[in-house]
Amino acid sequence: MTRVRTYHLALIGVAGLILLVSLVRVLTGFDDLTSSGTVGAALVLAVPIALAGLGGLWAERAGVVNIGLEGMMVLGTWFAGWAGYQWGPMAALAAGLLGGALGGLLHAIATVSFGVDHIISGVAINLLGPGITRFLSEVLYKEGTPASEAGAGITSSPAVRGETPTFDLPLLSSGPDLLGKLESTHWFLVADVAGVLRGLTHGISVLVIVAVLLLPLTFFVLWHTAFGLRLRSAGENPWAAESLGVNVYRIKYVAVVLSGAFAGLGGVFLVFFTDKYVEGQTQGRGFIGLAAMIFGNWRPGGLAGGSALFGYASSLQLRSAPAVNTFFLFGAVLLLVYLGLQIRRLTSADRPVELAAPGPRQYTLMGLAALGAVFLIWLWLTIDQLPNDFIFITPHVLTLLVLLVASQRLRMPKADGVSYRRGEQH
């Protein structure tokens, strides 16, 4: 029954968000807020972040902090580019997975077998990843090599041979472009729903489908299988799991290697998107994926929401920089909604007993919300165009703000980052 209620609340939340975005679009006149192009770009930009976050989720649910996701993703991009230009997309996929998994294996050896501090090991991998790939590029892509003659340079590989298949999802995208016609009407809510659906169903890469399916698959494996129970027990109390016969070392190794493979898969997606490996193309997405995982409270559903948020902010920044100003109005409306809900709870006749006498902290939060809403509305009314530098960092700032707000409800696995030694109870 709880799962049904949670599912319904999630649907209500999505519907309310679309309604809010539609209202802001009408008020501001920025049609790109819900255009199919923006939504499609957001999906593409969210996928590598979600895959990196998924890698962090597997590792940390097993009790191993993995801040080396960025380095593992870099390894995935290089190996995917190297194999892709020689043997095509399938070879790129396999090589990218292997490259990321090797980074995960190195992290597992350091943290699980030798007890190295998880943060130090992760930082080392983030330094090793770019260093190893630069060395390999200088050896294999230098002038005079076959790769160089095929278009490679020290900082990039030749183009991947062949194309990654894309397709339109059935039903909503078949026949006449009805969704496109509805989107072009710019009607309130109708055009917005049509734009969202069209962006999610037209020109979808196979790798996007795989990435989306990995989220519910992860939830099923970790929360509905015996293996998932053992893995999560290793992250909550490995000594109790050990007493019940769980091979904690093996579980942690499997989880961290899979973590690296997921990060490598995110790197493969970047290579397919740009058609080749380019040095520095991850641009911190491994760290952002880790932030999305924390925002999602170490659960796949929340991780998907955090990735979608960053992907949407990034796509809006790329497609319509002036529309970034609407985030001020978004924030103001959300603060006003929060303020209204708090006032309703305080004035409701059937409010809980603990809310009968609200304390100073609650009044302080309500006052700050009101001031924040007024300030954001003032910014929206007075600023016509944000500086380009601020527009560029908007997705990162938005991620930090959301993490700050969400930090009050986060609960990490109890043994996350704890050094485990068989037979040594902490």
Side-chain angles (χ1 to χ4, degrees), residues 1-40:
M1 192 66 179
T2 302
R3 287 196 300 271
V4 173
R5 285 200 296 267
T6 303
Y7 178 72
H8 287 169
L9 286 174
L11 289 179
I12 293 172
V14 171
L17 187 61
I18 293 176
L19 180 64
L20 172 61
V21 176
S22 179
L23 178 63
V24 172
R25 179 187 66 81
V26 172
L27 290 175
T28 60
F30 288 115
D31 294 327
D32 267 332
L33 287 175
T34 56
S35 69
S36 57
T38 299
V39 174

Side-chain angles (χ1 to χ4, degrees), residues 267-357:
V268 174
F269 184 85
L270 292 174
V271 170
F272 285 173
F273 181 68
T274 59
D275 201 36
K276 62 180 178 178
Y277 159 77
V278 179
E279 187 175 80
Q281 68 191 133
T282 57
Q283 296 183 341
R285 287 179 173 87
F287 298 111
I288 299 167
L290 193 64
M293 179 209 65
I294 296 171
F295 163 76
N297 209 8
W298 289 265
R299 298 181 73 90
L303 164 64
S307 304
L309 173 66
F310 188 90
Y312 178 76
S314 300
S315 68
L316 192 63
Q317 160 208 321
L318 294 173
R319 288 185 59 85
S320 178
V324 174
N325 286 25
T326 59
F327 284 126
F328 293 133
L329 187 57
F330 274 125
V333 173
L334 289 175
L335 287 175
L336 290 174
V337 170
Y338 165 79
L339 189 61
L341 291 175
Q342 292 300 314
I343 294 174
R344 182 175 179 275
R345 292 175 65 189
L346 293 176
T347 57
S348 176
D350 56 347
R351 64 183 183 273
V353 177
E354 62 269 18
L355 293 180

